[in-house]
Amino acid sequence: MNHWQSQRYLKEGLATNKNIGLLNRAIATAEAIRAVNPHAPPILTLNHLAHETGVPYDFLRGVVTRGGSSDHSFYHVFTVKKNNVGHAHGRTRTICVPHPMLIKAQRWIHENILQFGRFHEAACAYRPGSKIVDTASLHCEARWMVKMDVTNFFESILETKVYKVFRSFGYQPLVAFELTRICTRIRKESPRRIQPSKAGISSYANNYVGHLPQGAPTSPLLANLAVYDLDKELSLLARQNGMIYTRYADDITFSSVTSTWSRAKAVQLLCDGHAKLKSHGFWPNHAKAHIVSPGSRKIVLGLTVDGTAPRLTKQFKNTLRAHIHYLERFQLSNRPPHQVLGFDSILGLQRHVFGLAYYAMGIERGWGAARLAELKSISWPAEHGIAFD
């Protein structure tokens, strides 16, 4: 929580013989920020941010200047395979894990600034208290459904949009610019600026445009804040067509419970929605665009929404049952269960299956509780496992 007080700041400044004019200008800047968003902590300079976050100034300055020897500087970058649903075979997702000191700064920004931003009600992911089941329930008993997806969602949100987010909190241009650089990164494939950078500080000049890195703690909330205007337009498009609209990260769903809809209307909505995505700098993933007509199975965020309440899919249930069935009989095998099921360790396998069971309880409590009891009754190998009394 932000406990900044102008009078305390003034008192401490005068006690250390700071210039009264400088102190008053700093207080005026802080009050201007608080006037825009009373929850936003005043950040006056990069050095001030270093003090608040506990991250050395020289380190933050290196991040802001895009320092380092490569586009992997300040991040550990690796790729993971994407599911082939809607993707060409062999497609990968780039994950960027920030340097520990950069994570510390980004977590502070997440907790003290971003969570107090203005989010559109249709943006359901990453927000405190937001649950997948609640989002899916909005589409229950839908007759028609139109689904869209965005290609490289995080990487498509460039630093110009991130800068506007921090300016919307009331931060002065230079501080907003520095916060933006701390929350974005560049890579070899980053787009170049049409006009050379005209940063007031020469070391800040860089002709490559940064983007949100997937894996940074600041990226999820920044993504929601950066696409607020897109959410407004898609929400309006939904209302004009008598539909419900939700967006969970890059997963966009429209649904209608009325019987007056038609495939022609659905096709037009899909075209209009894709046009709006493109107008905001996103590229639709055409392979994952779907029109789901009455009578077809309807899935939202991995849950079946054909009935009055979201339910687990048959595939989810069959997978968890198969894992439990093998684990109850793994003593008959000469191989450790985690190796057979494709996990690196017993602990990793346990965390996975127990996580699935607890997730299932949040959707179908009775079924999930039964699976959880079965998992607890298994004679797990003691080494590196979770022990149950």
Side-chain angles (χ1 to χ4, degrees):
M1 182 178 291
N2 175 28
H3 297 293
W4 190 89
Q5 294 180 335
S6 61
Q7 297 307 306
R8 184 179 300 277
Y9 178 85
L10 181 61
K11 179 180 179 180
E12 294 177 356
L14 292 173
T16 54
N17 298 317
K18 295 295 190 298
N19 180 275
I20 184 63
L22 178 63
L23 292 173
N24 284 333
R25 288 193 294 274
I27 290 173
T29 299
E31 290 179 344
I33 295 170
R34 299 292 289 275
V36 175
N37 189 321
H39 300 289
I43 300 296
L44 306 176
T45 64
L46 185 64
N47 200 30
H48 184 193
L49 180 64
H51 173 76
E52 293 291 332
T53 61
V55 177
Y57 168 82
D58 288 343
F59 179 85
L60 292 181
R61 183 64 181 254
V63 176
V64 174
T65 59
R66 303 296 195 198
S69 58
S70 72
D71 60 344
H72 286 204
S73 297
F74 306 114
Y75 291 89
H76 170 59
V77 182
F78 60 93
T79 59
V80 295
K81 291 183 179 180
K82 289 184 178 180
N83 293 330
N84 288 332
V85 178
H87 300 285
H89 181 73
R91 286 283 301 276
T92 60
R93 187 188 309 280
T94 300
I95 305 298
C96 308
V97 179
H99 183 282
M101 285 196 290
L102 183 53
I103 281 185
K104 186 177 181 181
Q106 291 176 342
R107 283 177 176 163
W108 188 93
I109 293 170
H110 168 91
E111 294 169 4
N112 293 277
I113 299 177
L114 299 179
Q115 69 168 330
F116 299 113
R118 182 180 63 164
F119 303 94
H120 195 279
E121 65 176 2
C124 304
Y126 315 125
R127 296 171 59 180
S130 178
K131 298 179 180 178
I132 286 177
V133 65
D134 293 335
T135 301
S137 67
L138 294 172
H139 301 285
C140 281
E141 298 185 286
R143 292 179 59 83
W144 285 91
M145 187 173 290
V146 177
K147 305 186 75 174
M148 304 178 192
D149 196 272
V150 179
T151 300
N152 297 328
F153 178 63
F154 286 103
E155 289 86 347
S156 298
I157 300 175
L158 304 182
E159 65 179 70
T160 49
K161 290 185 177 181
V162 178
Y163 173 79
K164 290 178 180 178
V165 169
F166 285 116
R167 287 288 284 143
S168 74
F169 280 92
Y171 292 113
Q172 295 299 299
L174 179 57
V175 171
F177 176 86
E178 290 167 334
L179 287 167
T180 297
R181 284 286 180 88
I182 289 169
C183 297
T184 59
R185 71 179 286 266
I186 58 173
R187 54 183 177 174
K188 292 178 181 178
E189 299 82 8
S190 291
R192 293 180 66 92
R193 302 180 192 277
I194 298 174
Q195 297 292 333
S197 175
K198 297 180 180 179
I201 301 174
S202 59
S203 61
Y204 284 4
N206 190 292
N207 289 335
Y208 288 94
V209 181
H211 63 86
L212 288 183
Q214 185 165 358
T218 45
S219 290
L221 290 188
L222 275 172
N224 277 349
L225 293 168
V227 300
Y228 183 88
D229 289 340
L230 172 63
D231 282 329
K232 282 179 60 177
E233 292 185 18
L234 291 177
S235 182
L236 177 59
L237 178 64
R239 291 201 305 272
Q240 290 171 340
N241 285 273
M243 303 195 84
I244 301 299
Y245 161 69
T246 62
R247 181 183 59 79
Y248 197 93
D250 57 355
D251 194 323
I252 296 169
T253 305
F254 296 85
S255 69
S256 172
V257 296
T258 66
S259 59
T260 57
W261 252 71
S262 66
R263 181 166 294 277
K265 287 184 177 181
V267 170
Q268 186 60 53
L269 177 68
L270 188 62
C271 292
D272 292 343
H274 281 177
K276 291 188 180 298
L277 289 177
K278 292 177 183 178
S279 71
H280 284 266
F282 297 102
W283 188 252
N285 184 344
H286 294 282
K288 297 182 74 174
H290 298 292
I291 295 173
V292 188
S293 59
S296 301
R297 187 179 63 160
K298 296 175 179 63
I299 304 292
V300 175
L301 302 177
L303 298 176
T304 301
V305 294
D306 294 315
T308 58
R311 298 185 65 83
L312 300 167
T313 64
K314 289 183 179 180
Q315 181 181 5
F316 177 95
K317 290 183 174 181
N318 290 340
T319 298
L320 183 53
R321 281 198 185 104
H323 282 356
I324 294 174
H325 179 78
Y326 176 76
L327 288 167
E328 289 173 336
R329 295 160 177 77
F330 74 87
Q331 293 93 343
L332 302 177
S333 172
N334 293 325
R335 294 176 61 194
H338 65 279
Q339 292 183 4
V340 176
L341 296 175
F343 290 84
D344 293 332
S345 65
I346 283 290
L347 183 58
L349 171 59
Q350 280 185 302
R351 285 175 172 172
H352 178 73
V353 292
F354 274 92
L356 293 179
Y358 280 113
Y359 171 77
M361 287 182 63
I363 311 300
E364 296 183 39
R365 185 168 185 82
W367 190 90
R371 303 294 81 72
L372 184 63
E374 291 171 353
L375 287 170
K376 288 185 176 182
S377 68
I378 292 172
S379 299
W380 291 91
E383 186 178 2
H384 304 304
I386 303 172
F388 295 98
D389 295 330

